[in-house]
Amino acid sequence: MSTSPEAADGLAVMPLADLEAELRAGGDGLTSAEAAARLERHGPNEIAEEHRHPLLVLAGYFWAPIPWMIEVALVLSLLVGHWADAVIIGVLLAMNGVVAYVEEHQAANAIAALKQRLSGTARVRRDGAWAAVPVREVVPGDVLRVRLGDVVPADARLLADDELQVDQSALTGESLPVARGAGDALYSGSVVARGESDALVYATGADSFFGRTTALVEAAGTVSHFQRAVLRIGHFLIVVAVVLVALISVVSVARGNPALETLEFALVLTIASVPVALPAVLSVTMAVGARQLARREAVVSHLPAVEELGGIDVLCSDKTGTLTQNRLAVSEPWPVPGIDETALLEAAAAASRAEDRDPIDAAVLAAAEARSVTPTGRTEQFTPFDPVSKRTEAAVRGVDGAVVLCTKGAPQAVVALCPEDPAASAVGERAEEFARRGYRSLAVARAGPRGGWRLLGVLPIADPPREDSAATVRAARQLGVDVKMVTGDQVAIGAEIARQVGIGDRLLRAGELDGRPDAELAETVERSDGFGEVFPEHKHAIVRLLQARGHIVGMTGDGVNDAPALKQADAGIAVQGATDAARAAADVVLLAPGLSVIVEAIGLAREIFARMTNYATYRIAETVRVLLLVTLAIVAFNFFPVTPVMIVLLAVLNDGAILAIAYDHVQGARRPVSWDMRSVLTIATVLGVAGVAASFLLFVLATESFGLDRDTARTLIYLKLSVAGHLTIFLTRTRGPFWSPPAPSRLLVGAVVGTQAVATVIAATGILMAPVGWGYAALVWVYALAWFLVNDRLKVAAYRLLQSGGVDGRRS
């Protein structure tokens, strides 16, 4: 059931009492039965995606430039009466469409399944108790609990007189958070930047403000560095193919060959030369990589991030929970002179709230309970921690009726409340001392009924490094990734933890970055080991400055204050337990704690890059091999070395098997990867030209030494192109000799052996071409294998020349 825009707008402004009557709901929320009935009536709380009919999707694969070329070739074959050609070309056309549809459909399903793991939950009141339910099951009439970092799951009205700061920039374009109080509307998709409260849902799904303005918030699709490079390769091959095929056509027609047959041959040759399988290979490789990452507890929410991970050379990591255990415990408290430990802990416990599940609050309350300290009085108002004030505050009414304010938080923030207190300097010195010992300090203060804050003391809190952090940092450095700590903690605390895990202790206070020229700042940021006392704007600036120095930057984060930096980074990584806002801004979401998952993900991304580089080198080499052979044969000798049917068979068998490269075993580079087209083109050209020489030599042997006619010689050349072409895959997958580890996957070997067995049967028995017999077929295999060994040595020599010239396209 849908609500009109006018009705939804009316619900956003009507008095709360009237809204509760309209929704037949109140502050106690709904029962499970009521919620189920409303879910059935209103539908799930999600924006329905437009799904095209599968047949229309399949038809779309036959309506594009490459399918058009194949379709024109099919029509020309029918016009000139080449029925066998027409059948084979029709099979190629169908195969390209069906394979692309199936593989990309599977890729889309895989990514959709992975994103389901990121589906959020909302805290709602059901059956008189708070419960976590999937966001899609939130219904009008539900009472929500929203707090700092939450993405509001549906349009709702605030019930309590609590002031919230809400970031609506994704919906309205407002750059600054807006204040919201009792009765005000919260829109689905906005982010709570400060405070917490209860709210009554009045619109969900397509009826929400977000649902009615999806056009304003849809992110434009971006193309990664990796995809742009692969597409450039495709465009390069198409241009080369078109130029050489045009030359072939002009020369052939000028020599009196039939125009229609020449045009058909030219079209088929172009089809075989352009990277028809490239989109499918890219989609399958990315989908396979995303599934592998998910098995390692890293879920990709933005697919191109799989590629960007491979190029990261700087990783900005937060500290708590990523490098440390995030298991806080209060050590021996330090009360200021004249204050006893009980009073200190009582005030700190009063400024904490268990239901917020904040780890610092939990540590303080556990310490108070362990020492049998129980807060007296009733908390009338509580202000939770936020990144701006860096403290919590509670108004507590004592048994005598007087209201006392208690606060705890970052020492500099609490000391700022009472700068005239004689203990201010002592608190600062004690916090510094604790920091040097690796403790995080909480200062505690209290204000009486007549006002005036008084410092009570400092609570040292320990959060030791994770056991695997030091080894993980070493592993990252071995991969060429520089790890920098970015933390909101004091510089001294961050430096101690950074030293323990091997990052280094050259941490800067983020405030030192303010007001300096960008050029000077960028160099300073690049040299440092990390930053302490960081605010959200500093994180964003740090990432931007590193990018200005040419670095590919990964950024980890978990809070709403990390979202801008996560968006700015080349690969934003939300760590385990991150807020909804951080997860929404990130490209990769970790489901396991620690930094090791990220390092594994970087290594896996480099393996994916290696597979794509192998495919690009192979595809360019094959284009050079086929196009150059045909061009030289026609221009120099007026001889067509292969027929259109042979070209089509080459394309069918090769493109059908090449998808297996997405599952090949490869070794990722030990350094951050980037495309070096000079290296790729050089190796591909060497292999392609060597292949042309081998084909011409085989033609000479077939006609001069073996006395074969030209039709039989064409079959020999076809089989040699097919067998040698697929053997090239095993050359391009390694930089050293072809036997270098790791061994190729069984799937890749099986695909190559299977397709070449079919090609051998076709050539030997003469299906759609002149038969050569099993003896000559075996001879072609021996010939191709011999040239395979020669080409392998040429490849190794070419790589050595490139390295000696300072070119290292894969940075291994």
Side-chain angles (χ1 to χ4, degrees):
M1 180 177 123
S2 180
T3 304
S4 68
E6 294 78 12
D9 291 339
L11 295 176
V13 296
M14 70 169 52
L16 271 176
D18 295 346
L19 178 64
E20 291 178 352
E22 175 76 18
L23 297 175
R24 299 190 300 280
D28 291 333
L30 304 173
T31 65
S32 297
E34 289 173 331
R38 295 187 185 206
L39 183 63
E40 179 71 24
R41 186 163 70 251
H42 293 276
N45 178 35
E46 59 189 9
I47 308 300
E49 296 183 18
E50 181 182 355
H51 294 287
R52 298 171 63 202
H53 193 281
L55 289 179
L56 291 177
V57 176
L58 178 61
Y61 289 97
F62 298 94
W63 190 254
I66 291 175
W68 291 340
M69 294 166 61
I70 301 176
E71 288 155 9
V72 171
L74 175 60
V75 171
L76 289 174
S77 298
L78 294 172
L79 288 177
V80 298
H82 290 180
W83 310 116
D85 292 5
V87 170
I88 297 299
I89 292 172
V91 170
L92 172 66
L93 178 66
M95 193 198 79
N96 280 332
V98 171
V99 168
Y101 171 78
V102 170
E103 293 297 345
E104 295 196 19
H105 182 67
Q106 289 179 348
N109 287 345
I111 300 308
L114 294 178
K115 287 188 175 182
Q116 283 296 315
R117 299 184 67 177
L118 300 182
S119 57
T121 60
R123 193 164 178 78
V124 300
R125 197 164 180 82
R126 296 272 176 90
D127 300 317
W130 291 105
V133 302
V135 166
R136 70 186 309 272
E137 295 180 12
V138 173
V139 296
D142 265 328
V143 174
L144 293 169
R145 183 69 177 175
V146 291
R147 55 175 300 195
L148 171 69
D150 286 351
V151 176
V152 179
D155 288 359
R157 300 275 298 280
L158 286 174
L159 293 174
D161 193 18
D162 301 319
E163 182 172 309
L164 271 64
Q165 294 289 322
V166 182
D167 180 359
Q168 300 183 151
S169 57
L171 300 174
T172 64
E174 297 168 287
S175 59
L176 297 175
V178 296
R180 289 290 181 262
D184 289 340
L186 301 177
Y187 294 129
S188 171
S190 58
V191 179
V192 180
R194 185 177 184 182
E196 58 182 283
S197 189
D198 296 341
L200 179 64
V201 175
Y202 67 85
T204 60
D207 298 330
S208 67
F209 182 81
F210 179 87
R212 290 183 281 127
T213 58
T214 50
L216 300 178
V217 296
E218 286 179 351
T222 58
V223 182
S224 69
H225 301 88
F226 194 16
Q227 287 172 313
R228 283 196 294 268
V230 173
L231 291 175
R232 282 200 302 272
I233 292 171
H235 295 157
F236 167 78
L237 292 179
I238 290 173
V239 170
V240 170
V242 169
V243 169
L244 292 181
V245 168
L247 174 62
I248 292 170
S249 301
V250 171
V251 171
S252 180
V253 172
R255 286 176 172 168
N257 294 321
L260 274 180
E261 292 187 12
T262 299
L263 182 57
E264 179 203 2
F265 181 84
L267 276 170
V268 173
L269 182 60
T270 305
I271 292 163
S273 303
V274 298
V276 175
L278 189 143
V281 172
L282 179 61
S283 298
V284 174
T285 303
M286 292 297 101
V288 170
R291 289 197 294 267
Q292 289 175 326
L293 280 173
R295 286 197 292 271
R296 301 185 190 186
E297 302 298 309
V299 179
V300 176
S301 60
H302 180 55
L303 200 55
V306 175
E307 308 150 8
E308 301 290 6
L309 280 171
I312 286 177
D313 62 342
V314 176
L315 177 62
C316 296
S317 172
D318 62 347
K319 177 178 69 68
T320 306
T322 304
L323 294 169
T324 63
Q325 297 178 17
N326 198 20
R327 286 205 297 260
L328 302 180
V330 175
S331 187
E332 281 302 313
W334 178 83
V336 302
I339 300 294
D340 61 27
E341 184 178 298
T342 299
L344 170 61
L345 284 171
E346 184 177 351
S352 305
R353 187 157 64 177
E355 53 266 37
D356 283 355
R357 294 175 294 176
D358 181 271
I360 293 178
D361 285 6
V364 170
L365 292 171
E369 182 180 358
R371 293 167 173 80
S372 302
V373 175
T374 305
T376 58
R378 184 179 74 256
T379 301
E380 295 195 336
Q381 186 175 357
F382 184 82
T383 303
F385 178 87
D386 72 74
V388 178
S389 69
K390 290 188 175 292
R391 63 187 181 88
T392 64
E393 183 177 311
V396 181
R397 186 174 295 278
V399 292
D400 58 357
V403 176
V404 175
L405 299 179
C406 299
T407 187
K408 73 175 193 318
Q412 66 270 26
V414 175
V415 168
L417 295 174
C418 35
E420 304 300 325
D421 192 309
S425 60
V427 166
E429 291 171 1
R430 185 61 59 162
E432 287 291 334
E433 180 186 336
F434 283 139
R436 285 191 293 271
R437 292 161 53 191
Y439 289 105
R440 183 176 184 175
S441 294
L442 285 178
V444 182
R446 182 176 58 202
R450 298 181 181 178
W453 289 96
R454 182 182 179 187
L455 290 166
L456 302 181
V458 179
L459 300 180
I461 297 181
D463 181 18
R466 292 173 52 86
E467 293 180 357
D468 62 347
S469 288
T472 302
V473 170
R474 283 196 302 273
R477 292 241 167 102
Q478 290 169 359
L479 290 174
V481 179
D482 183 23
V483 181
K484 296 182 185 295
M485 177 186 288
V486 181
T487 178
D489 272 345
Q490 295 176 12
V491 170
I493 295 176
E496 174 63 19
I497 297 296
R499 183 190 62 76
Q500 292 181 35
V501 301
I503 290 177
D505 55 7
R506 296 176 300 171
L507 264 67
L508 299 178
R509 188 173 63 84
E512 297 176 21
L513 304 178
D514 298 332
R516 295 167 60 184
D518 273 6
E520 178 186 333
L521 269 181
E523 186 176 351
T524 301
V525 167
E526 189 177 40
R527 287 200 313 265
S528 69
D529 294 323
F531 308 88
E533 301 174 38
V534 171
F535 284 91
E537 60 270 21
H538 293 136
K539 294 186 178 184
H540 183 272
I542 288 165
V543 173
R544 181 178 53 79
L545 289 168
L546 286 169
Q547 289 172 329
R549 297 283 288 184
H551 295 288
I552 304 297
V553 183
M555 177 75 189
T556 72
D558 61 357
V560 62
N561 56 319
D562 295 324
L566 292 174
K567 280 184 173 292
Q568 176 68 29
D570 296 286
I573 304 163
V575 298
Q576 185 198 39
T579 61
D580 290 345
R583 287 153 65 109
D587 302 304
V588 180
V589 179
L590 304 185
L591 304 179
L595 199 65
S596 59
V597 182
I598 303 173
V599 176
E600 287 185 18
I602 290 172
L604 181 58
R606 293 184 187 176
E607 292 179 8
I608 294 168
F609 185 93
R611 293 187 184 101
M612 293 307 300
T613 305
N614 298 345
Y615 170 72
T617 309
Y618 157 79
R619 200 64 189 82
I620 296 172
E622 284 307 287
T623 296
V624 171
R625 191 192 309 263
V626 174
L627 272 179
L628 199 55
L629 170 67
V630 174
T631 302
L632 291 175
I634 292 175
V635 172
F637 306 110
N638 194 27
F639 168 64
F640 288 77
V642 285
T643 65
V645 169
M646 292 174 181
I647 294 174
V648 171
L649 286 173
L650 284 172
V652 170
L653 294 177
N654 287 10
D655 284 350
I658 200 61
L659 291 173
I661 205 169
Y663 302 88
D664 189 24
H665 300 154
V666 294
Q667 184 171 357
R670 300 301 300 173
R671 308 293 300 169
V673 291
S674 63
W675 281 96
D676 187 332
M677 293 310 300
R678 179 182 172 188
S679 177
V680 171
L681 290 173
T682 299
I683 300 302
T685 302
V686 167
L687 294 175
V689 171
V692 172
S695 297
F696 268 115
L697 179 58
L698 178 63
F699 172 70
V700 172
L701 290 173
T703 56
E704 301 299 328
S705 299
F706 305 151
L708 301 179
D709 60 72
R710 288 200 165 189
D711 286 339
T712 308
R714 285 191 181 97
T715 305
L716 282 184
I717 292 176
Y718 157 74
L719 183 57
K720 184 268 173 188
L721 287 175
S722 185
V723 173
H726 258 176
L727 290 178
T728 303
I729 297 173
F730 301 107
L731 297 178
T732 61
R733 62 184 300 278
T734 65
R735 301 192 66 181
F738 71 89
W739 61 81
S740 303
S745 68
R746 292 181 179 178
L747 181 60
L748 180 61
V749 173
V752 170
V753 171
T755 55
Q756 294 321 300
V758 172
T760 303
V761 170
I762 290 173
T765 59
I767 301 173
L768 303 175
M769 60 189 69
V772 296
W774 293 105
Y776 279 121
L779 179 64
V780 170
W781 269 91
V782 173
Y783 185 80
L785 288 170
W787 271 96
F788 172 79
L789 298 176
V790 172
N791 290 343
D792 190 49
R793 302 319 302 167
L794 291 174
K795 174 202 69 176
V796 172
Y799 271 124
R800 286 175 180 164
L801 284 175
L802 288 170
Q803 287 180 329
S804 64
V807 177
D808 190 1
R810 294 161 79 178
R811 295 191 192 174
S812 63

